[in-house]
Amino acid sequence: MTTWITICDTCKRDDWSEDTHERPHGVDLAELVEAAAEGRNVRTRRVSCLMGCKQGCNIAIQAEGKLAYTLGRFEPIAEAAEGIVAYAEMHSASASGQVPFRDWPQAIKGHFVTRHPPLPGAED
C-alpha cells in the first residue's frame, strides 16, 4: 500500500514577503521532500493549499486504510524534508499507519497538527 506525502506548494511562513521571496516556502519544501523521497518507498504530490495557512509549511501523510496525519510549521530545509520522508516510510511499514513516538525522527516532533482515522471501507 502506497504512502503519499502531499505537500502544500502555496504555503508561506510568517517571514514571507514579495520583497524578500520569489516564490512560496511550500515550493522550496516540496522540492526538498521530492529529492529526499527519490528512490524510496513513498510517493509525493503537490497541492495548491491544505488550508493550514497559520501552520505553514504543511504536508499530509496518507495511505488507504491507514491513519492520516497533517503536519505543519516546517522550515523549508533539508533536515525537515529528510524527517518527513523517514516518518512516511515508517507510516508505510505500519499496518495501521501509527508509528510509536520513540521512533519518530526528531525533525518531525512538534509538527503534528491533526490525525484522521481511515475512511470506512465499502463493507462498513
Side-chain angles (χ1 to χ4, degrees):
M1 192 162 317
T2 302
T3 289
W4 285 88
I5 304 169
T6 302
I7 310 130
C8 177
D9 63 4
T10 56
C11 277
K12 298 173 183 166
R13 294 175 46 88
D14 287 341
D15 67 339
W16 191 90
S17 79
E18 289 181 8
D19 296 333
T20 57
H21 296 82
E22 293 180 14
R23 60 191 192 166
H25 291 113
V27 172
D28 297 330
L29 183 62
E31 287 179 357
L32 291 166
V33 171
E34 290 162 351
E38 193 168 318
R40 292 171 74 178
N41 191 31
V42 295
R43 300 208 39 208
T44 64
R45 64 182 180 157
R46 296 183 190 196
V47 297
S48 293
C49 195
L50 285 174
M51 296 184 73
C53 300
K54 297 280 186 200
Q55 310 293 333
C57 293
N58 295 288
I59 61 104
I61 297 181
Q62 306 161 289
E64 186 177 335
K66 295 185 179 187
L67 292 166
Y69 299 91
T70 305
L71 294 83
R73 300 180 300 275
F74 286 107
E75 290 183 51
I77 58 174
E79 179 184 359
E82 285 294 332
I84 290 165
V85 172
Y87 181 82
E89 286 185 314
M90 291 177 207
H91 179 273
S92 180
S94 167
S96 66
Q98 190 166 8
V99 177
F101 178 79
R102 68 180 174 276
D103 296 336
W104 294 4
Q106 187 62 40
I108 61 127
K109 290 181 177 178
H111 292 275
F112 283 80
V113 178
T114 62
R115 177 174 76 175
H116 303 269
L119 292 172
E123 65 282 350
D124 294 331

